[in-house]
């Protein structure tokens, strides 16, 4: 090291030592420091080192550029790929549906069954159809002395139009029926008066009506029907009904208003004693408002039915209210559903409905409406599996002025005896009836090959004026089944049981209650499809051969057999 550098280094050491000694000896005082702005550090300028430094070395050499090319030589190939083929899915052949069919069958007791149905597609939205049916038998019931044949022939037509926002339907039809009052008591034959009896009765009826249903409208639908009925004894009845339905959706509820307008007018040429005629006329107007709530598990409907009934013949007006309450709750999804409620209403009885239930009524009826004051009910229903469903229900209700069928008394002293005045027809009597009922049903549908249903109803009646609830059974039960034995062979079976009924027998010598025995009616049918168009069938009815009495003194035919064919086609 040079002398100059040694002297400079010594000088620096001396200066620094002096400064340090001065600093330690100096007394420090407190001093206030004012910060003008926060300290903001900055990054000093820096340079980035290049990743690939430039080499300036005489030893390094440059790479030589390489040029290359591909020499392509064609190769001969004889391989030809085969075309792919999609795998097919096996599908069952769809059942061909035909728009028309005709059925013709014949059986013992000279029975004839004829049916013809046809449907015409007028356009994509409109279609029309008609249905003709004839069912008749010459009777020949064992032990019956009077003619007991019957005929039932009807023709119905309809027209339906399904538009974008509405569906319209028109219906019309006529029907002709012939029956005989053949159930004459044995006492009538003491003096062989049967030669004077003409037991034949005929009914002629016709109807016309229609309905309209709208989508996305508070006015949901309305149905109107007009029906006329006449018979061989100058009886006539005119019945017109109108039932509109309105719905107003709210936030979580639906407010509904249903209307019920029923006008009935009719007359009978005479009463049972041939002393005067009978006329009746009623106008019933009902309004049924209700609030409906539905969610995933709970469904509730709270409503009331208000009716005004005008009896024109007796100049009487009546106002009545009835409950319309329904609720159901899914306790265990579809397995257990609890339901219950209370319902009532005004039921307009008609001559047409009476003869449909019992064609042996006399043309001398007292027709009046029935007040169903209430029927409280509750039950459990659901599905034990996808193929097994059940329903159990109990109810208790009261009907005011309930219509009951009762045998007419023997009226041999009436002037100008008619064929229904020999104790062989039925009248209508009215009474207040309380009914306690239990109902149970089980349905099993294993597949489209087999289904089975069982149901039964037990009723206990209490009356006010009448001794019994005439001709109402205490027990009714049925078993029914449908099955497909093979693809072409199919069948069905049913078994009906009706328990004991009570009726009143009145003759010139005494009056007594009569008990009609319960009966079982077994039915079996088989069909065979030759093609999708042609099939044959056989039916057996009342297979136990019991000539039971469905009504007092009215035994039915024994074992009945019927065989026929059905042909389906398109025009």
């Amino acid at each position: 090291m040079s002398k100059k550098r040694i002297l400079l280094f010594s000088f620096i050491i001396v200066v620094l030592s002096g400064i340090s000694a001065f600093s330690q000896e100096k007394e420090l005082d407190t001093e206030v420091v004012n910060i003008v702005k926060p300290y903001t550090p900055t990054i000093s300028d820096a340079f980035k080192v290049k990743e690939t430094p430039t080499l300036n070395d005489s030893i390094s050499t440059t790479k030589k550029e390489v040029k290359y090319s591909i020499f392509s030589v064609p190769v001969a190939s004889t391989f030809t790929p085969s075309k792919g083929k999609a795998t097919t899915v096996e599908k069952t052949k769809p059942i061909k549906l035909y728009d028309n069919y005709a059925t013709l069958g014949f059986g013992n007791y000279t029975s004839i069954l004829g049916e013809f149905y046809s449907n015409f597609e007028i356009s994509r939205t409109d279609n029309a159809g008609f249905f003709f049916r004839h069912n008749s038998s010459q009777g020949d019931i064992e032990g019956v002395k009077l003619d007991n044949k019957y005929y039932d022939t009807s023709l119905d037509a309809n027209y339906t139009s399904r538009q974008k926002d509405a569906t319209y339907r028109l219906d019309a039809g006529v029907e002709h029926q012939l029956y005989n009052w053949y159930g004459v008591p044995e006492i009538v034959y003491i003096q062989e008066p049967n030669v004077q009896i003409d037991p034949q009765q005929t009914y002629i009826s016709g109807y016309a009506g229609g309905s309209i249903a709208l989508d996305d409208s508070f006015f949901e639908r309305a149905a109107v029907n007009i029906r006329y009925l006449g018979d061989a004894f100058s009886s006539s009845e005119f019945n017109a009904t109108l039932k509109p339905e309105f719905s107003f959706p709210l936030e979580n509820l639906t407010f509904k208003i249903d209307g019920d307008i029923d006008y009935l007018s009719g007359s009978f040429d005479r009463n049972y004693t041939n002393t005067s005629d009978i006329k009746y006329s009623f106008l019933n107007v009902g309004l049924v408002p209700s609030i409906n709530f539905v969610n995933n598990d709970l469904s509730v409907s709270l409503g009331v039915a208000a009716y005004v009934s005008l009896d024109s013949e007796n100049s009487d007006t009546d106002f009545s209210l009835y409950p319309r309450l329904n609720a159901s709750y899914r306790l265990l999804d579809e397995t257990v559903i609890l339901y219950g409620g209370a319902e009532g209403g005004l039921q307009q009885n008609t001559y047409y409905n009476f003869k449909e239930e019992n064609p042996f009524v006399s043309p001398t009826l007292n027709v009046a409406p029935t007040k169903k004051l209430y029927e409280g009910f509750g039950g459990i229903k659901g599905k034990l599996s996808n193929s097994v469903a059940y329903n159990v229900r109990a109810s208790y209700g009261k009907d005011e002025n309930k219509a009951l069928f009762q045998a007419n008394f023997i009226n041999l002293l009436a002037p100008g005896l008619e064929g229904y005045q020999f104790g062989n027809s039925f009248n209508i009597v009215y009474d207040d009836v309380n009914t306690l009922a239990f109902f149970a049903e089980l349905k099993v549908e294993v597949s489209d090959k087999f289904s089975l249903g069982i149901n039964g109803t037990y009723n206990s009646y209490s009356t006010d004026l009448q001794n019994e609830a005439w001709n109402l059974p205490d027990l009714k039960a049925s078993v029914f089944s449908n099955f497909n034995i093979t693809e072409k062979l199919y069948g069905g079976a049913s078994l009906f049981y009706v328990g004991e009924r009570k009726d009143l027998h009145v003759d010139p010598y005494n009056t007594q209650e009569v008990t009609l025995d319960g009966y079982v009616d077994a039915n079996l049918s088989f069909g065979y499809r030759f093609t999708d168009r042609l099939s044959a069938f056989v039916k057996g009815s009342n297979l136990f051969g019991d000539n039971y009495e469905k009504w007092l003194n009215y035994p039915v035919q024994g074992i009945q057999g019927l065989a026929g064919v059905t042909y389906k086609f398109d025009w």
Side-chain angles (χ1 to χ4, degrees):
M1 182 180 293
S2 64
K3 293 181 178 180
K4 290 183 180 181
R5 290 184 178 180
I6 294 173
L7 291 176
L8 179 60
F9 181 74
S10 300
F11 176 77
I12 292 173
I13 294 175
V14 172
V15 173
L16 292 174
S17 300
I19 293 173
S20 174
F22 177 78
S23 299
Q24 292 176 359
E25 294 176 357
K26 184 179 179 179
E27 184 177 355
L28 298 176
D29 297 330
T30 59
E31 185 176 355
V32 177
V33 179
N34 294 324
I35 299 175
V36 178
K37 64 178 182 179
Y39 172 68
T40 304
T42 61
I43 302 175
S44 300
D45 295 335
F47 65 91
K48 181 180 181 182
V49 179
K50 295 182 179 180
E51 294 180 357
T52 305
T54 302
L55 299 177
N56 187 11
D57 192 348
S58 60
I59 300 176
S60 62
T61 57
T62 59
K63 294 181 179 181
K64 185 177 180 181
E65 183 180 2
V66 179
K67 295 182 179 180
Y68 60 89
S69 63
I70 298 175
F71 181 70
S72 178
V73 179
V75 178
S77 175
T78 58
F79 173 75
T80 303
S82 60
K83 295 182 179 180
K85 184 178 181 181
T87 302
T88 59
V89 179
E90 295 184 1
K91 296 184 296 183
T92 59
K93 184 179 180 181
I95 299 176
K96 170 65 176 177
L97 300 178
Y98 295 93
D99 292 334
N100 316 277
Y101 80 86
T103 296
L104 183 62
F106 299 92
N108 60 337
Y109 298 101
T110 321
S111 300
I112 300 175
L113 173 65
E115 293 181 356
F116 182 81
Y117 173 79
S118 184
N119 182 75
F120 301 93
E121 184 176 349
I122 300 174
S123 66
R124 294 180 58 186
T125 59
D126 296 11
N127 67 283
F130 67 88
F131 178 61
F132 170 81
R133 189 174 192 273
H134 172 83
N135 186 22
S136 64
S137 174
Q138 294 302 312
D140 300 328
I141 300 175
E142 182 180 355
V144 174
K145 299 180 181 180
L146 297 182
D147 191 359
N148 49 90
K149 64 184 177 184
Y150 70 86
Y151 295 91
D152 190 346
T153 305
S154 61
L155 176 63
D156 299 277
N158 63 78
Y159 181 89
T160 304
S161 178
R162 299 176 179 87
Q163 303 300 321
K164 181 178 180 181
D165 299 322
T167 300
Y168 309 91
R169 181 180 175 90
L170 298 175
D171 298 275
V174 293
E175 185 176 24
H176 175 264
Q177 297 170 302
L178 183 150
Y179 292 94
N180 284 276
W181 290 293
Y182 63 85
V184 178
E186 285 294 331
I187 190 173
V188 175
Y189 291 95
I190 295 177
Q191 297 179 351
E192 296 293 333
N194 57 305
V195 294
Q196 306 171 10
I197 300 176
D198 180 9
Q200 184 171 296
Q201 166 69 304
T202 57
Y203 300 103
I204 299 177
S205 62
Y207 71 93
S211 64
I212 177 174
L214 302 180
D215 297 331
D216 301 326
S217 173
F218 68 90
F219 175 66
E220 284 194 337
R221 67 184 306 272
V224 62
N225 187 74
I226 300 173
R227 183 183 297 276
Y228 171 81
L229 172 65
D231 65 14
F233 294 84
S234 302
S235 307
S236 64
E237 182 179 78
F238 177 82
N239 185 209
T241 60
L242 173 63
K243 298 181 182 298
E245 298 179 10
F246 302 87
S247 179
F248 304 90
L250 304 177
E251 186 173 352
N252 295 319
L253 305 171
T254 301
F255 179 60
K256 297 190 66 176
I257 299 179
D258 297 338
D260 184 4
I261 302 175
D262 193 323
Y263 174 73
L264 179 69
S265 178
S267 64
F268 296 103
D269 194 48
R270 69 203 73 183
N271 61 18
Y272 191 69
T273 58
N274 295 352
T275 56
S276 62
D277 61 354
I278 300 175
K279 294 183 179 180
Y280 53 95
S281 179
F282 295 93
L283 175 61
N284 301 328
V285 180
L287 197 64
V288 187
S290 64
I291 293 288
N292 300 275
F293 171 78
V294 178
N295 67 4
N296 293 333
D297 297 321
L298 180 64
S299 175
V300 178
S301 177
L302 305 176
V304 63
Y307 278 89
V308 175
S309 180
L310 285 75
D311 183 353
S312 301
E313 290 297 325
N314 298 309
S315 302
D316 185 27
T317 302
D318 181 68
F319 176 77
S320 53
L321 292 174
Y322 308 93
R324 292 289 176 90
L325 310 173
N326 283 277
S328 66
Y329 178 72
R330 298 178 186 271
L331 186 62
L332 294 175
D333 196 20
E334 295 291 335
T335 305
V336 179
I337 301 175
L338 305 178
Y339 67 93
E343 291 188 347
L346 186 65
Q347 175 185 337
Q348 180 62 72
N349 298 310
T350 65
Y351 182 31
Y352 178 85
N353 292 335
F354 287 148
K355 69 91 178 173
E356 285 292 288
E357 185 175 356
N358 182 354
F360 309 112
V361 292
S362 63
T364 60
L365 305 180
N366 178 23
V367 179
T370 294
K371 289 183 179 181
K372 193 176 188 64
L373 298 181
Y374 63 86
E375 182 187 16
F377 60 91
I380 304 174
K381 63 181 180 180
K383 291 184 176 181
L384 300 178
S385 67
N386 290 334
S387 59
V388 180
Y390 70 94
N391 187 8
V392 179
R393 165 186 166 129
S395 65
Y396 181 81
K398 182 173 183 177
D399 294 331
E400 184 179 293
N401 216 37
K402 184 178 179 64
L404 304 171
F405 292 103
Q406 185 186 78
N408 276 317
F409 61 90
I410 300 174
N411 191 20
L412 299 179
L413 301 179
L417 280 175
E418 300 291 350
Y420 54 82
Q421 292 178 313
F422 296 86
N424 54 338
S425 62
F426 295 84
N427 190 24
I428 297 294
V429 295
Y430 296 89
D431 197 10
D432 297 344
V433 179
N434 295 340
T435 305
L436 175 64
F438 297 95
F439 171 80
E441 182 180 40
L442 182 67
K443 292 183 178 180
V444 180
E445 188 169 352
V446 178
S447 65
D448 58 351
K449 302 292 185 182
F450 177 78
S451 64
L452 175 69
I454 304 172
N455 64 59
T457 304
Y458 172 77
N459 297 298
S460 177
Y461 305 101
S462 61
T463 57
D464 183 21
L465 300 177
Q466 302 294 326
N467 294 334
E468 297 286 346
W470 308 117
N471 282 292
L472 293 182
D474 55 357
L475 181 61
K476 296 178 69 175
S478 63
V479 180
F480 49 91
S481 175
N482 293 303
F483 45 85
N484 292 315
I485 302 174
T486 65
E487 185 178 352
K488 293 181 176 294
L489 183 61
Y490 59 93
S494 61
L495 187 70
F496 300 96
Y497 173 76
V498 177
E500 294 182 347
R501 292 90 62 218
K502 300 281 188 178
D503 207 336
L504 194 64
H505 172 76
V506 181
D507 61 47
Y509 305 101
N510 61 10
T511 299
Q512 62 179 351
E513 291 185 9
V514 180
T515 300
L516 281 74
D517 295 333
Y519 62 87
V520 176
D521 194 326
N523 307 275
L524 185 63
S525 64
F526 289 97
Y528 186 82
R529 302 182 185 93
F530 295 101
T531 66
D532 58 350
R533 292 176 178 268
L534 181 64
S535 61
F537 64 88
V538 291
K539 296 181 179 180
S541 302
N542 194 17
L543 295 180
F544 292 154
D546 183 15
N547 291 99
Y548 60 83
E549 293 185 0
K550 186 174 182 179
W551 305 98
L552 181 62
N553 297 321
Y554 276 88
V556 301
Q557 295 173 338
I559 297 177
Q560 304 157 41
L562 184 73
V565 295
T566 297
Y567 183 74
K568 303 175 184 178
F569 62 96
D570 289 329
W571 292 112

